[in-house]
Amino acid sequence: SAPRSDPEEPRISAYACQRRTPLDHLNKIFTDASEVLAENAEFSESEGRGLAFRKAGSVLRSLPFAVSRMEDLRGVPCLGEHSRKIIQEILEDGVSGEVEGVLRSERYRAMKALTGVFGVGVKTADRWVREGLRTPGDLLTSGHRLSREQEAGVRYYEDLNCPVTRAEADAIGEIVKEAVHSILPGARVTLTGGFRRGKEAGHDVDLLITHPEEGKEEGLLGKLTSWLDSQGVLLYQRVSEGSGGRGRESGPMDHFHRSFSILKLGEQPGAPPGPPQPGASSAGQTQEAASPRGQGGAQGRGWRAVRVDLVICPYSQFAYALLGWTGSQQFERDLRRFASQERDMSLNSHGLYQREQVRTPPPPHCISESSPPLSLSLSLSSPPL
Ligand code: GTP
Ligand code: MN
Ligand code: MN
């Protein structure tokens, strides 16, 4: 694509982490289209094509004007030929034929419905679709063997596909805080993920937990989830033991102790949930069904199921963990890419490393919570952020 001719015109960075990206933006009609095409590519395991549409969506979200002519896109990076063709179609016809086709296709709809089940990835959904399954309800009637996670996913399908509100996220945060403080006074619970970015709704609640005295956080996750279980709040969990953040890893996945869980949230945000049902207080045991077929759901039941990620980190890594778990995914991806390609450094949720030292983390930098948001316009050679 041609560079902008006007040298005064600020260049738009190809790194999402160097672009201001407001929550509310002006190009939703285009970003909705690229989201559908990205999903559809991911559903056929075309990771490269999926990523290209994600990048296109991300740059469109950052534009301070509504795109109304193709010329508006001169010099805008991250827009490939295919994305530009879709934008042009929408500008000319109001919709993209290709996107409409995807939305109507039986395969896309079935993949969307089945990957919408907690615990079901693209590979599994694809196999089921080829076997003729279309909806989570079909899973029940077909008698397919489900993992414990997928069983919970089907049981709470409606609830888990109903967006979590900010108030619900705060209420979950309070429940977890109360539990954490009763176990380990002084521990800190921070809401991360989309809600930390200011989103009004999300698919889950991401909570990062630490204690200012390094080491105090060890063993906390088990105690926390036992406490939640004893209160009848823990509907499901899968724990990832990790190395407690003491491993030496690079790459996007971190090694914190964490629990991918489903918690029970009572009727009024902040209100304690109902008493545990006799014999049903253990995660994974039978609870009232949130049927995937329409009846059930949160209404009238007095509670709803909410997906919650609980992550424990040592205090010395808190800043990096907070940065890594705040998202968005595109921002995180480009932040790591920026560190690597522009600074010859390596960033993950545990720390920022000199390239040569990827396997030997430097002494941890402590970043106080009150420090200003990390800005990459700061020179990375300046003192620890
Ligand atoms: P919604 O939950 O849909 O509102 O969006 P979200 O941005 O909160 O997404 P999500 O909860 O999936 O993830 C929150 C952030 O945590 C994102 O930036 C992810 O990249 C990051 N994240 C999710 N899983 C992992 C993981 O296993 N390791 C690390 N390091 N980061 C993760
Ligand atoms: Mn989230
Ligand atoms: Mn999450």
Side-chain angles (χ1 to χ4, degrees):
S1 58
R4 283 181 182 258
S5 45
D6 184 354
E8 297 299 301
E9 198 77 52
R11 268 190 50 77
I12 299 171
S13 174
Y15 292 102
C17 56
Q18 291 194 304
R19 300 191 293 253
R20 178 176 293 278
T21 309
L23 272 181
D24 292 313
H25 64 90
L26 302 163
N27 291 290
K28 200 159 175 336
I29 186 169
F30 307 110
T31 56
D32 284 350
S34 42
E35 165 101 25
V36 170
L37 296 176
E39 272 182 327
N40 194 50
E42 286 153 11
F43 288 162
S44 44
E45 292 182 71
S46 307
E47 299 306 332
R49 210 153 40 87
L51 193 56
F53 285 123
R54 298 263 172 224
K55 285 184 166 185
S58 168
V59 80
L60 289 168
R61 243 174 243 120
S62 77
L63 298 180
F65 54 87
V67 174
S68 63
R69 327 163 292 160
M70 286 310 282
E71 297 85 89
D72 293 342
L73 297 176
R74 280 191 60 192
V76 175
C78 310
L79 293 175
E81 216 175 292
H82 197 158
S83 291
R84 285 174 188 268
K85 199 193 89 199
I86 300 291
I87 294 169
Q88 185 160 14
E89 250 188 311
I90 295 174
L91 286 174
E92 286 168 5
D93 308 335
V95 291
S96 151
E98 184 178 346
V99 172
E100 295 299 296
V102 168
L103 286 171
R104 272 194 310 267
S105 82
E106 199 183 0
R107 181 182 151 78
Y108 171 82
R109 287 162 171 250
M111 287 296 289
K112 179 100 178 156
L114 293 173
T115 56
V117 177
F118 176 55
V120 178
V122 165
K123 281 198 171 70
T124 305
D126 179 69
R127 178 158 40 81
W128 287 341
V129 169
R130 283 189 278 110
E131 290 170 19
L133 304 188
R134 293 293 175 266
T135 67
D138 293 345
L139 278 172
L140 297 180
T141 46
S142 70
H144 270 70
R145 244 193 79 83
L146 300 179
S147 68
R148 205 171 62 87
E149 186 169 43
Q150 292 163 351
E151 219 168 83
V154 171
R155 180 174 304 133
Y156 304 115
Y157 185 75
E158 266 209 2
D159 279 5
L160 300 188
N161 280 282
C162 171
V164 180
T165 65
R166 175 87 211 187
E168 288 169 335
D170 288 337
I172 291 282
E174 287 309 314
I175 292 171
V176 171
K177 248 177 227 167
E178 194 193 314
V180 165
H181 290 157
S182 78
I183 298 161
L184 182 63
R188 297 192 189 167
V189 180
T190 307
L191 183 61
T192 69
F195 290 109
R196 183 159 186 266
R197 304 199 302 277
K199 278 174 64 176
E200 280 303 321
H203 97 283
D204 69 354
V205 181
D206 304 287
L207 295 169
L208 184 62
I209 304 165
T210 189
H211 190 287
E213 257 177 79
E214 187 93 354
K216 281 264 169 92
E217 82 289 351
E218 278 177 48
L220 178 56
L221 188 62
K223 289 177 195 155
L224 169 61
T225 55
S226 299
W227 193 97
L228 293 170
D229 196 17
S230 74
Q231 301 294 302
V233 174
L234 189 66
L235 297 173
Y236 169 86
Q237 76 157 336
R238 176 164 58 88
V239 172
S240 167
E241 276 308 324
S243 58
R246 290 189 170 75
R248 296 171 175 187
E249 289 298 328
S250 57
M253 293 311 274
D254 62 47
H255 291 262
F256 296 126
H257 288 170
R258 75 177 97 158
S259 168
F260 304 94
S261 63
I262 300 176
L263 300 192
K264 183 173 182 175
L265 181 63
E267 207 159 37
Q268 295 95 14
Q277 296 164 294
S281 62
S282 280
Q285 287 185 28
T286 314
Q287 297 270 345
E288 286 169 68
S291 161
R293 281 153 164 183
Q295 69 270 50
Q299 295 91 348
R301 216 197 304 123
W303 58 272
R304 68 161 291 181
V306 180
R307 266 276 296 118
V308 180
D309 285 333
L310 301 169
V311 183
I312 310 283
C313 81
Y315 197 62
S316 59
Q317 297 172 15
F318 177 70
Y320 298 101
L322 185 60
L323 180 62
W325 277 85
T326 297
S328 68
Q329 205 170 32
Q330 204 54 47
F331 179 93
E332 300 293 341
R333 195 177 274 137
D334 280 0
L335 203 51
R336 292 191 297 264
R337 199 164 59 90
F338 184 94
S340 147
Q341 295 181 355
E342 305 295 327
R343 293 293 183 272
D344 200 26
M345 294 175 100
S346 169
L347 175 73
N348 61 25
S349 293
H350 300 286
L352 179 64
Y353 313 96
Q354 294 295 340
R355 244 317 160 48
E356 318 70 74
Q357 310 171 351
V358 166
R359 303 256 148 219
T360 41
H365 315 145
C366 267
I367 305 177
S368 94
E369 270 174 281
S370 56
S371 49
L374 201 150
S375 158
L376 278 167
S377 58
L378 285 174
S379 155
L380 282 176
S381 58
S382 60
L385 297 162

